[in-house]
PDB file of all heavy atoms in Angstrom:
ATOM      1  N   SER E  38     171.364 104.092 106.018  1.00 50.00           N
ATOM      2  CA  SER E  38     172.370 105.053 105.634  1.00 50.00           C
ATOM      3  C   SER E  38     173.692 104.299 105.743  1.00 50.00           C
ATOM      4  O   SER E  38     174.171 103.835 106.762  1.00 50.00           O
ATOM      5  CB  SER E  38     172.357 106.106 106.484  1.00 50.00           C
ATOM      6  OG  SER E  38     173.450 107.141 106.318  1.00 50.00           O
ATOM      7  N   CYS E  39     174.286 104.042 104.517  1.00 67.00           N
ATOM      8  CA  CYS E  39     175.498 103.294 104.562  1.00 67.00           C
ATOM      9  C   CYS E  39     176.736 104.192 104.483  1.00 67.00           C
ATOM     10  O   CYS E  39     176.867 105.069 103.594  1.00 67.00           O
ATOM     11  CB  CYS E  39     175.581 102.428 103.308  1.00 67.00           C
ATOM     12  SG  CYS E  39     174.079 101.256 103.318  1.00 67.00           S
ATOM     13  N   GLY E  40     177.722 103.826 105.243  1.00 68.00           N
ATOM     14  CA  GLY E  40     179.092 104.497 105.094  1.00 68.00           C
ATOM     15  C   GLY E  40     179.793 103.854 103.824  1.00 68.00           C
ATOM     16  O   GLY E  40     179.738 102.678 103.639  1.00 68.00           O
ATOM     17  N   LEU E  41     180.583 104.635 103.139  1.00 77.00           N
ATOM     18  CA  LEU E  41     181.289 104.184 102.085  1.00 77.00           C
ATOM     19  C   LEU E  41     182.516 103.330 102.536  1.00 77.00           C
ATOM     20  O   LEU E  41     183.121 103.682 103.492  1.00 77.00           O
ATOM     21  CB  LEU E  41     181.870 105.299 101.147  1.00 77.00           C
ATOM     22  CG  LEU E  41     180.729 106.117 100.550  1.00 77.00           C
ATOM     23  CD1 LEU E  41     181.372 107.283  99.633  1.00 77.00           C
ATOM     24  CD2 LEU E  41     179.810 105.368  99.588  1.00 77.00           C
ATOM     25  N   VAL E  42     182.746 102.251 101.761  1.00 81.00           N
ATOM     26  CA  VAL E  42     183.832 101.403 102.194  1.00 81.00           C
ATOM     27  C   VAL E  42     184.730 101.342 100.892  1.00 81.00           C
ATOM     28  O   VAL E  42     184.202 101.105  99.811  1.00 81.00           O
ATOM     29  CB  VAL E  42     183.391 100.002 102.434  1.00 81.00           C
ATOM     30  CG1 VAL E  42     184.514  99.002 102.763  1.00 81.00           C
ATOM     31  CG2 VAL E  42     182.421 100.022 103.697  1.00 81.00           C
ATOM     32  N   ALA E  43     186.106 101.503 101.115  1.00 85.00           N
ATOM     33  CA  ALA E  43     187.115 101.324 100.101  1.00 85.00           C
ATOM     34  C   ALA E  43     187.115  99.919  99.570  1.00 85.00           C
ATOM     35  O   ALA E  43     187.230  99.001 100.224  1.00 85.00           O
ATOM     36  CB  ALA E  43     188.451 101.866 100.525  1.00 85.00           C
ATOM     37  N   ALA E  44     187.118  99.821  98.216  1.00 89.00           N
ATOM     38  CA  ALA E  44     187.350  98.457  97.601  1.00 89.00           C
ATOM     39  C   ALA E  44     188.976  98.167  97.555  1.00 89.00           C
ATOM     40  O   ALA E  44     189.627  98.555  96.565  1.00 89.00           O
ATOM     41  CB  ALA E  44     186.764  98.469  96.104  1.00 89.00           C
ATOM     42  N   CYS E  45     189.442  97.489  98.616  1.00 93.00           N
ATOM     43  CA  CYS E  45     190.856  97.293  98.646  1.00 93.00           C
ATOM     44  C   CYS E  45     191.401  96.031  98.134  1.00 93.00           C
ATOM     45  O   CYS E  45     192.565  95.780  98.182  1.00 93.00           O
ATOM     46  CB  CYS E  45     191.274  97.471 100.121  1.00 93.00           C
ATOM     47  SG  CYS E  45     190.656  96.085 101.197  1.00 93.00           S
ATOM     48  N   GLY E  46     190.406  95.159  97.721  1.00 94.00           N
ATOM     49  CA  GLY E  46     190.816  93.842  97.275  1.00 94.00           C
ATOM     50  C   GLY E  46     191.245  92.896  98.418  1.00 94.00           C
ATOM     51  O   GLY E  46     190.697  92.924  99.484  1.00 94.00           O
ATOM     52  N   GLY E  47     192.291  92.043  98.234  1.00 96.00           N
ATOM     53  CA  GLY E  47     192.769  91.132  99.314  1.00 96.00           C
ATOM     54  C   GLY E  47     192.416  89.681  98.868  1.00 96.00           C
ATOM     55  O   GLY E  47     192.201  89.318  97.735  1.00 96.00           O
ATOM     56  N   ASP E  48     192.509  88.816  99.831  1.00 97.00           N
ATOM     57  CA  ASP E  48     192.249  87.450  99.741  1.00 97.00           C
ATOM     58  C   ASP E  48     191.051  87.078 100.540  1.00 97.00           C
ATOM     59  O   ASP E  48     190.971  87.096 101.811  1.00 97.00           O
ATOM     60  CB  ASP E  48     193.319  86.683 100.217  1.00 97.00           C
ATOM     61  CG  ASP E  48     193.268  85.114 100.077  1.00 97.00           C
ATOM     62  OD1 ASP E  48     192.224  84.646  99.382  1.00 97.00           O
ATOM     63  OD2 ASP E  48     194.209  84.338 100.375  1.00 97.00           O
ATOM     64  N   PRO E  49     189.892  86.519  99.901  1.00 97.00           N
ATOM     65  CA  PRO E  49     188.694  86.183 100.564  1.00 97.00           C
ATOM     66  C   PRO E  49     188.589  84.845 101.066  1.00 97.00           C
ATOM     67  O   PRO E  49     187.567  84.378 101.587  1.00 97.00           O
ATOM     68  CB  PRO E  49     187.587  86.405  99.471  1.00 97.00           C
ATOM     69  CG  PRO E  49     188.240  86.225  98.248  1.00 97.00           C
ATOM     70  CD  PRO E  49     189.670  86.635  98.425  1.00 97.00           C
ATOM     71  N   THR E  50     189.748  84.094 100.787  1.00 98.00           N
ATOM     72  CA  THR E  50     189.745  82.667 101.251  1.00 98.00           C
ATOM     73  C   THR E  50     189.395  82.471 102.642  1.00 98.00           C
ATOM     74  O   THR E  50     189.861  83.145 103.568  1.00 98.00           O
ATOM     75  CB  THR E  50     191.032  82.007 100.943  1.00 98.00           C
ATOM     76  OG1 THR E  50     191.338  82.259  99.412  1.00 98.00           O
ATOM     77  CG2 THR E  50     191.043  80.437 101.193  1.00 98.00           C
ATOM     78  N   GLY E  51     188.462  81.598 102.895  1.00 98.00           N
ATOM     79  CA  GLY E  51     188.094  81.404 104.375  1.00 98.00           C
ATOM     80  C   GLY E  51     186.586  81.226 104.615  1.00 98.00           C
ATOM     81  O   GLY E  51     185.849  81.310 103.466  1.00 98.00           O
ATOM     82  N   THR E  52     186.126  81.037 105.739  1.00 98.00           N
ATOM     83  CA  THR E  52     184.693  80.898 106.096  1.00 98.00           C
ATOM     84  C   THR E  52     184.332  82.178 106.879  1.00 98.00           C
ATOM     85  O   THR E  52     184.866  82.487 107.889  1.00 98.00           O
ATOM     86  CB  THR E  52     184.361  79.607 106.932  1.00 98.00           C
ATOM     87  OG1 THR E  52     184.845  78.550 106.077  1.00 98.00           O
ATOM     88  CG2 THR E  52     182.980  79.524 107.142  1.00 98.00           C
ATOM     89  N   TRP E  53     183.214  82.824 106.568  1.00 98.00           N
ATOM     90  CA  TRP E  53     182.857  84.051 106.897  1.00 98.00           C
ATOM     91  C   TRP E  53     181.310  84.090 107.421  1.00 98.00           C
ATOM     92  O   TRP E  53     180.604  83.431 106.826  1.00 98.00           O
ATOM     93  CB  TRP E  53     183.056  85.079 105.940  1.00 98.00           C
ATOM     94  CG  TRP E  53     184.329  85.158 105.242  1.00 98.00           C
ATOM     95  CD1 TRP E  53     184.781  84.391 104.266  1.00 98.00           C
ATOM     96  CD2 TRP E  53     185.449  85.858 105.430  1.00 98.00           C
ATOM     97  NE1 TRP E  53     186.082  84.589 103.805  1.00 98.00           N
ATOM     98  CE2 TRP E  53     186.577  85.574 104.703  1.00 98.00           C
ATOM     99  CE3 TRP E  53     185.742  86.961 106.514  1.00 98.00           C
ATOM    100  CZ2 TRP E  53     187.783  86.268 104.601  1.00 98.00           C
ATOM    101  CZ3 TRP E  53     186.961  87.550 106.490  1.00 98.00           C
ATOM    102  CH2 TRP E  53     188.034  87.218 105.653  1.00 98.00           C
ATOM    103  N   THR E  54     181.084  84.764 108.488  1.00 97.00           N
ATOM    104  CA  THR E  54     179.842  84.983 109.072  1.00 97.00           C
ATOM    105  C   THR E  54     179.328  86.457 108.795  1.00 97.00           C
ATOM    106  O   THR E  54     180.171  87.421 109.232  1.00 97.00           O
ATOM    107  CB  THR E  54     179.654  84.563 110.488  1.00 97.00           C
ATOM    108  OG1 THR E  54     179.975  83.263 110.703  1.00 97.00           O
ATOM    109  CG2 THR E  54     178.194  84.976 111.088  1.00 97.00           C
ATOM    110  N   MET E  55     178.039  86.757 108.301  1.00 95.00           N
ATOM    111  CA  MET E  55     177.766  87.971 107.978  1.00 95.00           C
ATOM    112  C   MET E  55     177.406  88.721 109.312  1.00 95.00           C
ATOM    113  O   MET E  55     176.631  88.175 110.234  1.00 95.00           O
ATOM    114  CB  MET E  55     176.465  88.096 107.080  1.00 95.00           C
ATOM    115  CG  MET E  55     176.110  89.395 106.654  1.00 95.00           C
ATOM    116  SD  MET E  55     174.547  89.291 105.715  1.00 95.00           S
ATOM    117  CE  MET E  55     174.982  88.223 104.395  1.00 95.00           C
ATOM    118  N   ASP E  56     177.981  90.000 109.474  1.00 92.00           N
ATOM    119  CA  ASP E  56     177.636  90.832 110.604  1.00 92.00           C
ATOM    120  C   ASP E  56     176.550  91.944 110.201  1.00 92.00           C
ATOM    121  O   ASP E  56     175.938  92.307 111.128  1.00 92.00           O
ATOM    122  CB  ASP E  56     178.919  91.440 111.137  1.00 92.00           C
ATOM    123  CG  ASP E  56     179.878  90.342 111.590  1.00 92.00           C
ATOM    124  OD1 ASP E  56     179.593  89.525 112.304  1.00 92.00           O
ATOM    125  OD2 ASP E  56     181.112  90.671 111.260  1.00 92.00           O
ATOM    126  N   GLU E  57     176.779  92.388 109.047  1.00 88.00           N
ATOM    127  CA  GLU E  57     175.986  93.563 108.649  1.00 88.00           C
ATOM    128  C   GLU E  57     175.621  93.524 107.210  1.00 88.00           C
ATOM    129  O   GLU E  57     176.404  93.052 106.415  1.00 88.00           O
ATOM    130  CB  GLU E  57     176.757  94.790 108.946  1.00 88.00           C
ATOM    131  CG  GLU E  57     176.154  96.102 108.502  1.00 88.00           C
ATOM    132  CD  GLU E  57     177.250  97.198 108.723  1.00 88.00           C
ATOM    133  OE1 GLU E  57     178.420  96.975 109.133  1.00 88.00           O
ATOM    134  OE2 GLU E  57     176.729  98.475 108.559  1.00 88.00           O
ATOM    135  N   ALA E  58     174.502  94.148 106.790  1.00 86.00           N
ATOM    136  CA  ALA E  58     174.254  94.194 105.417  1.00 86.00           C
ATOM    137  C   ALA E  58     173.623  95.547 105.236  1.00 86.00           C
ATOM    138  O   ALA E  58     172.700  95.979 105.902  1.00 86.00           O
ATOM    139  CB  ALA E  58     173.135  93.007 104.871  1.00 86.00           C
ATOM    140  N   CYS E  59     174.162  96.216 104.210  1.00 83.00           N
ATOM    141  CA  CYS E  59     173.553  97.586 103.729  1.00 83.00           C
ATOM    142  C   CYS E  59     172.986  97.426 102.349  1.00 83.00           C
ATOM    143  O   CYS E  59     173.804  97.357 101.432  1.00 83.00           O
ATOM    144  CB  CYS E  59     174.567  98.569 103.819  1.00 83.00           C
ATOM    145  SG  CYS E  59     173.947 100.265 103.787  1.00 83.00           S
ATOM    146  N   LEU E  60     171.763  97.155 102.217  1.00 77.00           N
ATOM    147  CA  LEU E  60     171.090  96.783 101.002  1.00 77.00           C
ATOM    148  C   LEU E  60     170.901  97.957 100.055  1.00 77.00           C
ATOM    149  O   LEU E  60     170.632  99.148 100.417  1.00 77.00           O
ATOM    150  CB  LEU E  60     169.697  96.140 101.232  1.00 77.00           C
ATOM    151  CG  LEU E  60     169.726  94.937 102.169  1.00 77.00           C
ATOM    152  CD1 LEU E  60     168.135  94.465 102.439  1.00 77.00           C
ATOM    153  CD2 LEU E  60     170.510  93.812 101.613  1.00 77.00           C
ATOM    154  N   ASP E  61     170.838  97.655  98.776  1.00 67.00           N
ATOM    155  CA  ASP E  61     170.637  98.644  97.822  1.00 67.00           C
ATOM    156  C   ASP E  61     169.149  98.613  97.525  1.00 67.00           C
ATOM    157  O   ASP E  61     168.601  97.563  97.050  1.00 67.00           O
ATOM    158  CB  ASP E  61     171.331  98.316  96.445  1.00 67.00           C
ATOM    159  CG  ASP E  61     171.096  99.238  95.425  1.00 67.00           C
ATOM    160  OD1 ASP E  61     170.266 100.084  95.528  1.00 67.00           O
ATOM    161  OD2 ASP E  61     171.864  99.085  94.311  1.00 67.00           O
ATOM    162  N   PRO E  62     168.397  99.631  97.821  1.00 63.00           N
ATOM    163  CA  PRO E  62     166.887  99.674  97.583  1.00 63.00           C
ATOM    164  C   PRO E  62     166.511  99.257  96.250  1.00 63.00           C
ATOM    165  O   PRO E  62     165.351  98.840  96.026  1.00 63.00           O
ATOM    166  CB  PRO E  62     166.501 101.058  97.977  1.00 63.00           C
ATOM    167  CG  PRO E  62     167.538 101.643  98.962  1.00 63.00           C
ATOM    168  CD  PRO E  62     168.825 100.970  98.327  1.00 63.00           C
ATOM    169  N   SER E  63     167.314  99.502  95.179  1.00 64.00           N
ATOM    170  CA  SER E  63     167.012  99.229  93.852  1.00 64.00           C
ATOM    171  C   SER E  63     166.695  97.735  93.616  1.00 64.00           C
ATOM    172  O   SER E  63     166.045  97.373  92.663  1.00 64.00           O
ATOM    173  CB  SER E  63     167.956  99.699  92.902  1.00 64.00           C
ATOM    174  OG  SER E  63     169.258  99.013  93.005  1.00 64.00           O
ATOM    175  N   MET E  64     167.164  96.839  94.610  1.00 65.00           N
ATOM    176  CA  MET E  64     166.978  95.583  94.442  1.00 65.00           C
ATOM    177  C   MET E  64     165.433  95.225  94.628  1.00 65.00           C
ATOM    178  O   MET E  64     165.028  93.984  94.242  1.00 65.00           O
ATOM    179  CB  MET E  64     167.840  94.732  95.463  1.00 65.00           C
ATOM    180  CG  MET E  64     169.207  94.843  95.100  1.00 65.00           C
ATOM    181  SD  MET E  64     170.191  93.742  96.251  1.00 65.00           S
ATOM    182  CE  MET E  64     169.908  94.446  97.889  1.00 65.00           C
ATOM    183  N   PHE E  65     164.697  96.045  95.312  1.00 66.00           N
ATOM    184  CA  PHE E  65     163.403  95.788  95.469  1.00 66.00           C
ATOM    185  C   PHE E  65     162.388  96.765  94.667  1.00 66.00           C
ATOM    186  O   PHE E  65     161.255  96.883  94.915  1.00 66.00           O
ATOM    187  CB  PHE E  65     163.053  96.050  96.975  1.00 66.00           C
ATOM    188  CG  PHE E  65     163.823  95.150  97.834  1.00 66.00           C
ATOM    189  CD1 PHE E  65     165.190  95.501  98.284  1.00 66.00           C
ATOM    190  CD2 PHE E  65     163.270  93.885  98.258  1.00 66.00           C
ATOM    191  CE1 PHE E  65     165.958  94.674  99.141  1.00 66.00           C
ATOM    192  CE2 PHE E  65     164.136  93.069  99.025  1.00 66.00           C
ATOM    193  CZ  PHE E  65     165.337  93.457  99.406  1.00 66.00           C
ATOM    194  N   GLU E  66     163.023  97.174  93.546  1.00 63.00           N
ATOM    195  CA  GLU E  66     162.240  98.154  92.671  1.00 63.00           C
ATOM    196  C   GLU E  66     160.973  97.397  91.936  1.00 63.00           C
ATOM    197  O   GLU E  66     160.196  98.244  91.525  1.00 63.00           O
ATOM    198  CB  GLU E  66     163.184  98.892  91.623  1.00 63.00           C
ATOM    199  CG  GLU E  66     163.642  97.892  90.706  1.00 63.00           C
ATOM    200  CD  GLU E  66     164.798  98.494  89.794  1.00 63.00           C
ATOM    201  OE1 GLU E  66     165.137  99.670  89.905  1.00 63.00           O
ATOM    202  OE2 GLU E  66     165.166  97.783  88.793  1.00 63.00           O
ATOM    203  N   ASP E  67     161.006  96.151  92.032  1.00 63.00           N
ATOM    204  CA  ASP E  67     159.840  95.487  91.347  1.00 63.00           C
ATOM    205  C   ASP E  67     158.507  95.910  92.080  1.00 63.00           C
ATOM    206  O   ASP E  67     157.534  95.969  91.416  1.00 63.00           O
ATOM    207  CB  ASP E  67     160.009  93.955  91.532  1.00 63.00           C
ATOM    208  CG  ASP E  67     161.074  93.349  90.650  1.00 63.00           C
ATOM    209  OD1 ASP E  67     161.412  94.013  89.645  1.00 63.00           O
ATOM    210  OD2 ASP E  67     161.488  92.240  90.841  1.00 63.00           O
TER     211      ASP E  67
END
Side-chain angles (χ1 to χ4, degrees):
S38 178
C39 307
L41 296 180
V42 178
C45 68
D48 183 4
T50 304
T52 301
W53 310 83
T54 298
M55 189 185 302
D56 296 320
E57 177 187 8
C59 195
L60 302 179
D61 182 352
S63 68
M64 292 188 298
F65 300 88
E66 65 185 2
D67 286 341

